[in-house]
Amino acid sequence: KQEVTQIPAALSVPEGENLVLNCSFTDSAIYNLQWFRQDPGKGLTSLLLIQSSQREQTSGRLNASLDKSSGRSTLYIAASQPGDSATYLCAVVTGANNLFFGTGTRLTVIP
Amino acid sequence: SQTIHQWPATLVQPVGSPLSLECTVEGTSNPNLYWYRQAAGRGLQLLFYSVGIGQISSEVPQNLSASRPQDRQFILSSKKLLLSDSGFYLCAWSGKMNEKLFFGSGTQLSVL
């Protein structure tokens, strides 16, 4: 069974720093990997989707990479802002739109 | 553009009472629909997914059921709630080709 792990569980950084969030998965047979953002008590917002054939995707200050063979993905956030504070979740799709989620990294950007 | 509506936002129910959470999607047809539960401090757990009207797949045995009476309507139900049913319930939709998943705003259910 696919297992998704996110490290660290929580991260605090001062405003303006660049940071990297990590996601690892046990079964490399995936269709795609998605990164989501969740604000407290809210639903999830899709940030980036990387297809299994791709190595990275970029959106604004966000860059996600995928190394399928090693079962790893990273989410790079440049020039962090207090508004980036949220929980970030990664999820892998293994088939029939079956997503396996990590438990998330809670990010706090300190002004 | 596509939108997803989920209600209610919060719900407090006594043990043994019934449950009905509703989710509707607008701006797309024949979406895949999902119900997830997020327990405190834990990841999201897929409860049900549906690829079409009347087609429901259950991922985990539980006290809940799901129905899809219309193409863009997905309902999560229970006849008798348990304390362990408390959690944050999220509805989501996606297209057919392993596309992005779009979530509703969630329902915080407290069973007392």
Side-chain angles (χ1 to χ4, degrees):
Chain A
K1 180 184 175 183
Q2 180 73 263
E3 292 184 6
V4 182
T5 304
Q6 290 186 248
I7 295 173
L11 180 66
S12 291
V13 300
E15 181 178 2
E17 268 201 12
N18 303 325
L19 60 101
V20 175
L21 306 180
N22 297 293
C23 172
S24 61
F25 46 96
T26 55
D27 186 350
S28 62
I30 65 171
Y31 284 96
N32 63 50
L33 181 145
Q34 300 182 41
W35 281 93
F36 296 87
R37 167 187 173 136
Q38 185 177 29
D39 294 288
K42 304 293 184 183
L44 279 69
T45 301
S46 180
L47 298 173
L48 291 164
L49 180 150
I50 310 177
Q51 300 291 352
S52 62
S53 58
Q54 298 174 322
R55 295 194 65 88
E56 65 177 334
Q57 281 287 326
T58 298
S59 175
R61 294 182 294 109
L62 305 179
N63 176 277
S65 68
L66 173 64
D67 184 343
K68 199 172 74 164
S69 61
S70 67
R72 294 180 182 179
S73 175
T74 62
L75 179 67
Y76 174 83
I77 302 178
S80 58
Q81 303 171 359
D84 295 331
S85 298
T87 296
Y88 290 81
L89 297 105
C90 71
V92 297
V93 176
T94 58
N97 276 297
N98 193 2
L99 269 73
F100 292 88
F101 281 85
T103 53
T105 294
R106 189 174 67 254
L107 173 66
T108 303
V109 180
I110 305 165
Chain B
S1 64
Q2 301 88 359
T3 56
I4 179 168
H5 303 280
Q6 186 181 342
W7 66 94
T10 59
L11 189 59
V12 180
Q13 292 285 102
V15 169
S17 63
L19 173 73
S20 180
L21 302 181
E22 188 163 343
C23 173
T24 60
V25 180
E26 296 177 357
T28 187
S29 59
N30 197 26
N32 289 346
L33 296 172
Y34 308 83
W35 278 110
Y36 284 88
R37 177 168 58 203
Q38 187 177 36
R42 301 179 64 181
L44 274 77
Q45 180 186 38
L46 178 63
L47 302 175
F48 300 96
Y49 71 91
S50 171
V51 298
I53 296 175
Q55 300 179 60
I56 309 294
S57 297
S58 174
E59 289 298 302
V60 293
Q62 57 201 308
N63 184 43
L64 302 168
S65 62
S67 61
R68 184 169 178 174
Q70 300 181 43
D71 181 46
R72 289 169 289 178
Q73 183 185 28
F74 205 23
I75 299 172
L76 184 68
S77 305
S78 174
K79 293 182 179 178
K80 290 185 178 182
L81 284 168
L82 306 172
L83 288 174
S84 58
D85 291 325
S86 294
F88 192 53
Y89 289 82
L90 289 156
C91 179
W93 77 272
S94 73
K96 294 300 182 184
M97 300 300 292
N98 291 313
E99 299 165 13
K100 279 187 178 181
L101 200 63
F102 296 94
F103 282 84
S105 53
T107 296
Q108 183 64 53
L109 172 65
S110 298
V111 183
L112 305 177

